[in-house]
Amino acid sequence: MRKIKNPWLHIEGYNCFGCAPENPFGLHMTFYEEGDDIISFWRPADYYQGWVGVLHGGIISTLIDETAGWVVIRKLQTAGLTARLKVAFKKSISSDEMQITIRARLKEQKMNVATIEVKVLNAHEEVCAEGDATYFLMSDEQSQEMGFVHCDVEGDNLLPF
């Protein structure tokens, strides 16, 4: 498993709710690559709850969407925009869970549309939510206008595609 470098850190005004490390209200997600999967390990807190002691479904949906987006930037080496997000909630997640795991992989790519499948697992590795995210992929020119050049992993000297 290799930690993915955040390619957005150099962008002025970068304050993503999901992955910006300096966003005081954000989720501060980090990502890892393991084979075909992009993985994030995340710890809930009480201020992310919906019902008492239960992680809010909107937060779970955000975790799914954000991880799917990192599949796009790491595996496809481009930026993208969420076109559709379908989430199935299988089991509630406690807001005091020690750690949850979000695991995503590319399911299909047709031209400039990618479909990513995502699973959210609790600390007991039970699947609590599943998501299908559809992303519109940006052209190289559009990605570069957003400041995206390439997405590397720590310890590797990868060249831009």
Side-chain angles (χ1 to χ4, degrees):
M1 187 175 312
R2 303 176 299 171
K3 185 173 183 182
I4 300 171
K5 293 180 183 179
N6 187 328
W8 308 113
L9 294 177
H10 71 284
I11 304 295
E12 185 177 337
Y14 162 66
N15 202 29
C16 176
F17 179 72
C19 64
E22 302 301 322
N23 184 329
F25 304 106
L27 302 178
H28 306 139
M29 296 175 74
T30 56
F31 299 90
Y32 300 85
E33 181 178 51
E34 181 179 65
D36 291 335
D37 292 350
I38 300 299
I39 303 165
S40 184
F41 304 102
W42 188 75
R43 186 172 184 176
D46 282 344
Y47 45 85
Y48 293 124
Q49 67 182 312
W51 184 245
V52 176
V54 178
L55 189 60
H56 193 285
I59 296 297
I60 295 168
S61 298
T62 301
L63 295 168
I64 289 170
D65 185 32
E66 187 70 17
T67 307
W70 279 73
V71 169
V72 170
I73 66 171
R74 174 64 190 149
K75 295 299 190 180
L76 303 178
Q77 292 293 315
T78 191
L81 297 169
T82 310
R84 184 177 65 86
L85 181 64
K86 181 179 175 185
V87 178
F89 300 97
K90 308 284 188 183
K91 181 178 178 142
S92 64
I93 299 173
S94 173
S95 60
D96 65 357
E97 191 82 21
M98 290 302 293
Q99 176 178 281
I100 63 174
T101 302
I102 307 95
R103 185 177 287 267
R105 66 172 42 198
L106 181 66
K107 182 176 179 180
E108 179 179 50
Q109 180 184 353
K110 289 183 180 177
M111 304 204 37
N112 68 334
V113 177
T115 304
I116 297 107
E117 57 186 16
V118 187
K119 294 186 185 306
V120 180
L121 299 95
N122 63 16
H124 302 289
E125 298 187 20
E126 300 169 309
V127 176
C128 297
E130 295 177 324
D132 276 318
T134 302
Y135 269 71
F136 285 124
L137 307 176
M138 294 183 176
S139 68
D140 289 342
E141 182 179 302
Q142 291 169 317
S143 291
Q144 289 172 7
E145 286 174 8
M146 287 185 60
F148 180 82
V149 179
H150 61 277
C151 181
D152 293 337
V153 291
E154 289 186 3
D156 286 354
N157 294 320
L158 299 178
L159 300 174
F161 289 80

